[in-house]
Amino acid sequence: MIKRNIVLIASILLIAACQNSKPKTSVNQNTYSFFLGTYTDGDSKGIYKLKMEADGHLKMIGLVAETANPSFLAFANNQKTLLSINELVKDNNMGSVESYQTGDSLKLISCKPSGGAHPCFVTANDAGVVLTANYTGGNIGYLKVDENGELSDLLDVQQHTGSGTVVNRQDQPHAHSVWFQPNSNHIIAVDLGTNELWISSIDSVSNQFVPANQAKVSLVDGAGPRHLAFHPNGKIFYVINELDNTITGFSISDHEEVSMIGNVSTLPADFDGVSNPADIHISKDGKFLYGSNRGHNSIVIFKVQENGALKLVGHESTRGDHPRNFSLSPDDKFLLVANKNTNNIVSFKRDSVTGKLTFVDEIKAPSPVCILFQQ
């Protein structure tokens, strides 16, 4: 009996040792789904859904909504509602914004005029305020979305006026994006055509745009501002400029005055080709800033200094042509970039210490232009 018990105990210990020797799966790795906005002038049919595995590899799930030119996407209602613009000109000389119920597929809830022609950007806040940037219309549209995902009619339009110095690109206003300023009731509209930032708020009683005391901020002549990214501290933001291939830093004072703090190039010093930046994002820890270069076909990487200045880390090839929108994964461990002209999405592993990117995977997708992660 004693011998039998000794053998049994030895067997249990051996099994436990074998189990303990198995490699452990990291609990910190996450799998994410994301929606993809596209242009539908080619093979694309609308909005697609894809999956990013915990190791950064990509998988196509498929078409989830058939719609025209859904070139920019945003969430509302804690991601229960997806918003998409239709970058078009319809009979009312406007494009449109759509709302969808999210899930395994997208269910269309409503579609409303965006306020101007060729909308190229949409965003929403927790209060249900929806803002669109209409490129050809040169204006910002204001709507609301309720808790069921239903969009209101158009409530107000902020029409921009003026021009810049670049012939054929800045002859008239071209609103390219609009952003809710953190810790403030201000919004900042970025106009490539007038070469300005338009700062305002919304009167919730009259449902109208109200210019701020500092209503406009000019950029360097010919800059062509496009998108911006706020630093996590809420006191600094960076604007990527499409026409002169630069990023401009701005500070926000305690009195909400916006001041320029410097410019850096998005391109290598020895590059002499044609290129136009598109998108810009900053890591959640505020240590690294990234921008996409269409033409040089790269992601530029900057280290953010304590005073907000940017120090070049380097450039990473996007392994495709015309990198438009890109996105950091919700855990900041990966960066995904959409190469519109080569119909591919590329996944990079991000080093949180150096900011550098390492290629992981790529997948084919038709005319990809906007990546929106689910959390």
Side-chain angles (χ1 to χ4, degrees):
M1 177 67 71
I2 295 174
K3 183 182 294 185
R4 184 182 303 164
N5 287 342
I6 292 173
V7 171
L8 180 60
I9 292 170
S11 299
I12 293 172
L13 292 173
L14 179 62
I15 292 171
C18 290
Q19 289 177 338
N20 289 335
S21 67
K22 292 179 180 179
K24 295 182 179 179
T25 302
S26 172
V27 296
N28 295 322
Q29 295 296 312
N30 296 306
T31 297
Y32 297 103
S33 296
F34 61 93
F35 291 102
L36 179 69
T38 68
Y39 280 121
T40 54
D41 53 356
D43 294 333
S44 174
K45 300 297 182 182
I47 303 171
Y48 293 79
K49 192 172 186 179
L50 294 90
K51 180 179 180 181
M52 188 188 79
E53 302 289 354
D55 60 2
H57 282 79
L58 305 174
K59 179 182 178 181
M60 173 65 74
I61 296 175
L63 179 70
V64 289
E66 190 165 344
T67 186
N69 279 1
S71 64
F72 202 88
L73 311 174
F75 282 125
N77 295 327
N78 294 315
Q79 301 194 10
K80 295 177 183 178
T81 304
L82 182 139
L83 304 174
S84 171
I85 51 87
N86 300 113
E87 195 170 334
L88 303 166
V89 182
K90 297 186 177 181
D91 293 339
N92 56 6
N93 203 33
M94 297 185 189
S96 54
V97 55
E98 300 173 323
S99 63
Y100 292 87
Q101 178 182 319
T102 59
D104 293 335
S105 61
L106 294 177
K107 180 181 178 181
L108 181 65
I109 301 172
S110 58
C111 179
K112 298 291 183 176
S114 66
H118 294 110
C120 57
F121 191 91
V122 63
T123 188
N125 68 5
D126 292 340
V129 174
V130 176
L131 301 174
T132 64
N134 301 292
Y135 183 82
T136 305
N139 57 34
I140 303 300
Y142 162 42
L143 307 89
K144 288 184 177 179
V145 61
D146 67 20
E147 60 184 10
N148 297 315
E150 184 77 30
L151 288 165
S152 71
D153 290 329
L154 187 66
L155 298 172
D156 196 18
V157 172
Q158 179 191 89
Q159 183 61 53
H160 295 175
T161 57
S163 59
T165 60
V166 180
V167 177
N168 297 326
R169 293 302 311 276
Q170 293 187 318
D171 297 338
Q172 60 188 23
H174 290 305
H176 219 307
S177 62
V178 57
W179 309 81
F180 296 100
Q181 184 178 317
N183 308 314
S184 171
N185 66 343
H186 284 170
I187 60 173
I188 301 177
V190 182
D191 197 300
L192 183 148
T194 69
N195 209 57
E196 295 167 321
L197 308 179
W198 292 62
I199 305 174
S200 59
S201 61
I202 295 174
D203 185 318
S204 60
V205 177
S206 64
N207 285 325
Q208 292 181 325
F209 290 105
V210 179
N213 291 332
Q214 185 185 17
K216 291 189 286 185
V217 176
S218 297
L219 282 90
V220 173
D221 282 353
R226 181 183 172 98
H227 280 197
L228 65 76
F230 288 100
H231 191 279
N233 65 19
K235 295 297 183 181
I236 297 173
F237 66 93
Y238 302 90
V239 176
I240 195 160
N241 301 307
E242 179 174 337
L243 302 183
D244 72 352
N245 298 286
T246 62
I247 292 174
T248 305
F250 291 91
S251 63
I252 305 172
S253 74
D254 292 339
H255 302 291
E256 300 205 29
E257 295 175 345
V258 175
S259 302
M260 189 182 301
I261 59 177
N263 282 290
V264 293
S265 174
T266 65
L267 297 171
D270 60 353
F271 180 77
D272 61 359
V274 176
S275 192
N276 301 106
D279 201 11
I280 184 170
H281 293 282
I282 192 167
S283 59
K284 287 183 173 65
D285 60 12
K287 293 181 178 180
F288 294 97
L289 185 79
Y290 300 87
S292 59
N293 289 309
R294 298 170 297 174
H296 186 249
N297 293 333
S298 66
I299 298 294
V300 61
I301 308 165
F302 291 100
K303 172 72 174 177
V304 181
Q305 309 292 82
E306 288 189 9
N307 63 356
L310 299 178
K311 181 180 179 181
L312 181 65
V313 173
H315 296 80
E316 181 68 35
S317 169
T318 62
R319 296 172 176 251
D321 182 31
H322 204 83
R324 193 175 169 106
N325 175 250
F326 67 94
S327 184
L328 294 168
S329 61
D331 58 10
D332 259 10
K333 293 181 178 179
F334 296 92
L335 184 149
L336 270 59
V337 59
N339 294 301
K340 184 179 79 71
N341 290 352
T342 44
N343 302 301
N344 66 325
I345 299 172
V346 181
S347 170
F348 296 95
K349 178 73 174 177
R350 195 183 76 88
D351 189 314
S352 62
V353 176
T354 66
K356 293 183 178 181
L357 305 173
T358 302
F359 170 76
V360 176
D361 193 22
E362 70 174 291
I363 191 171
K364 285 295 183 181
S367 298
V369 291
C370 182
I371 295 169
L372 181 65
F373 273 103
Q374 287 183 293
Q375 298 191 45

